[in-house]
Amino acid sequence: MDSSQTYSNFMATDVACRILGVDPQVMLETAGLGGLARSRTEMRVTAQQYFDCWNTMEVLSPRPDYVLHLGVAISRGPVIPVFFTLSCAPDMETGLIRLAQFKSLLGPTLMRVFWDGGLLRLEFDSVDARVPMPPSLGALQLVVAVENIRGAAAHLVCPVAAGFDGSEEERHMIAGQLGIMPERSPAAYVAFSPEDAKRPFISENPALWADIEADLKLQLAAQNDRWPVADRVRGALVDLMPAGRTGAEDVALALGISRSTLQRRLREQGTSYQVVLDATRRDMAIRYLTKTTLRVEEIASVLAYRDANSFSRSFRRWTGQAPVAFREAPKQQTGEAE
């Protein structure tokens, strides 16, 4: 594994810190990443730096139930496009297999899904065997997975086995939420019965999944300089927008090129950064309005607008309609292909 590989720090700085009430700049300074704390661009870190951030948040968190509170809030709170891999699926097994393909977009963690002894087993681990994942982060993965599964199934799904490398007190802390006492285990895992693994998800949305899958593949391909730069920009934006970042400098840094090089390559393809940004936002807005029940305020947040009014003004410019009016006019929902 290349130890120089970097990962988005969005889940730590933009999601976890906000939920826990921890100042992200203080967290980064305490973790020895002061240079990132002073940067206004996208924060990408190595696996070791990422795990250092999580360990630091655990120390700084004002809540003793840090893992439980954070896990429930993440699964019920901000819209994180990667999690559509699970919620759009027809059942748990399919959704977890899909999620495993794109888990690295959320940080340096691997996710394995397999059948073991008649149970569907889900395991989490570090992408780099030389850099172990903190036990608290393993526990968090279990809570988030179980909560997301319950939301998609609209059923109180309870695992039949679970474990992570935590103390008895730490394992007790999430036992009530999981519905089972996790064992002390070197692997962070959770296992489900065949009945629950095949239980239909009420949130199944094959039309949305087709679009989300294409976007997530673009995110993974954003680091591949053999792809057209406009596609790479779109993939980077899908990754960056939930963190509130849409600047050309943010995207250029994520792609590993200078801002001037980014703009030059886009000009060579007959487009511009603003054109790609607007097209990406427009397509995603139409998708979320026509294929989900997300509120306009939630869509505005996912697309990195300051507020719903700013989003509505842009949407009117693109389509000639307000978002709510567009959603209520099914026959006119063809703008995404235009």
Side-chain angles (χ1 to χ4, degrees):
M1 173 66 64
D2 182 2
S3 61
S4 66
Q5 176 70 40
T6 60
Y7 304 87
S8 170
N9 210 29
F10 162 66
M11 288 299 293
T13 55
D14 294 79
V15 176
C17 280
R18 184 172 72 249
I19 292 172
L20 294 173
V22 172
D23 186 326
Q25 181 166 334
V26 172
M27 182 275 289
L28 290 168
E29 294 277 3
T30 305
L33 300 173
L36 288 178
R38 292 183 288 273
S39 172
R40 294 185 177 182
T41 57
E42 159 68 347
M43 286 179 276
R44 296 190 67 84
V45 295
T46 65
Q48 184 63 68
Q49 290 171 330
Y50 188 96
F51 295 148
D52 286 345
C53 287
W54 283 99
N55 287 328
T56 301
M57 275 192 296
E58 185 171 9
V59 173
L60 295 178
S61 172
R63 303 185 62 109
D65 61 345
Y66 149 74
V67 169
L68 180 59
H69 176 72
L70 188 56
V72 172
I74 287 174
S75 60
R76 299 179 184 177
V79 178
I80 300 173
V82 173
F83 288 141
F84 281 122
T85 55
L86 183 64
S87 61
C88 289
D91 54 54
M92 181 199 302
E93 181 182 13
T94 304
L96 291 177
I97 290 172
R98 289 176 178 177
L99 178 57
Q101 297 178 58
F102 302 104
K103 189 68 170 63
S104 64
L105 293 173
L106 297 177
T109 53
L110 291 175
M111 179 175 157
R112 304 183 186 93
V113 183
F114 56 96
W115 287 94
D116 180 41
L119 301 177
L120 184 66
R121 184 177 172 104
L122 174 60
E123 285 189 355
F124 298 95
D125 201 356
S126 169
V127 297
D128 188 341
R130 299 166 298 181
V131 184
M133 180 175 64
S136 61
L137 182 54
L140 177 71
Q141 308 273 11
L142 305 188
V143 175
V144 171
V146 170
E147 285 297 300
N148 278 328
I149 288 167
R150 288 170 175 166
H155 182 80
L156 188 60
V157 175
C158 289
V160 296
F164 68 97
D165 192 16
S167 67
E168 184 173 1
E169 180 182 2
E170 291 168 330
R171 288 179 284 125
H172 266 294
M173 191 173 296
I174 68 170
Q177 195 68 30
L178 296 183
I180 188 172
M181 177 65 177
E183 66 172 339
R184 184 74 178 267
S185 164
Y189 80 93
V190 63
F192 300 92
S193 69
E195 178 185 10
D196 282 333
K198 298 297 184 181
R199 185 183 299 278
F201 278 180
I202 65 165
S203 59
E204 180 183 5
N205 191 332
L208 177 60
W209 165 241
D211 293 329
I212 292 294
E213 182 182 28
D215 281 346
L216 295 178
K217 286 181 176 178
L218 278 179
Q219 281 184 254
L220 289 177
Q223 301 301 316
N224 188 338
D225 58 13
R226 290 176 296 180
W227 278 65
V229 70
D231 287 344
R232 296 181 66 207
V233 168
R234 181 183 176 101
L237 282 169
V238 174
D239 186 30
L240 294 171
M241 283 193 296
R245 299 187 175 95
T246 60
E249 185 178 356
D250 297 304
V251 170
L253 183 64
L255 299 184
I257 58 179
S258 69
R259 179 173 179 169
S260 60
T261 298
L262 171 64
Q263 292 171 329
R264 174 176 56 79
R265 290 183 181 177
L266 287 170
R267 283 196 303 270
E268 291 171 352
Q269 288 190 2
T271 188
S272 70
Y273 181 76
Q274 190 61 49
V275 168
V276 177
L277 173 61
D278 281 349
T280 302
R281 278 175 152 173
R282 180 201 65 209
D283 291 349
M284 293 181 70
I286 290 173
R287 175 185 313 155
Y288 289 138
L289 285 168
T290 59
K291 297 178 181 178
T292 78
T293 58
L294 291 176
R295 302 191 311 275
V296 170
E297 293 80 4
E298 292 176 307
I299 296 172
S301 178
V302 173
L303 301 182
Y305 281 96
R306 291 190 304 275
D307 51 49
N309 288 334
S310 298
F311 165 57
S312 295
R313 285 194 294 272
S314 291
F315 196 82
R316 281 182 180 275
R317 175 165 54 84
W318 299 328
T319 67
Q321 290 182 286
V324 173
F326 188 90
R327 171 173 269 167
E328 293 174 351
K331 292 183 180 180
Q332 300 181 35
Q333 295 171 359
T334 59
E336 190 170 4
E338 295 176 358

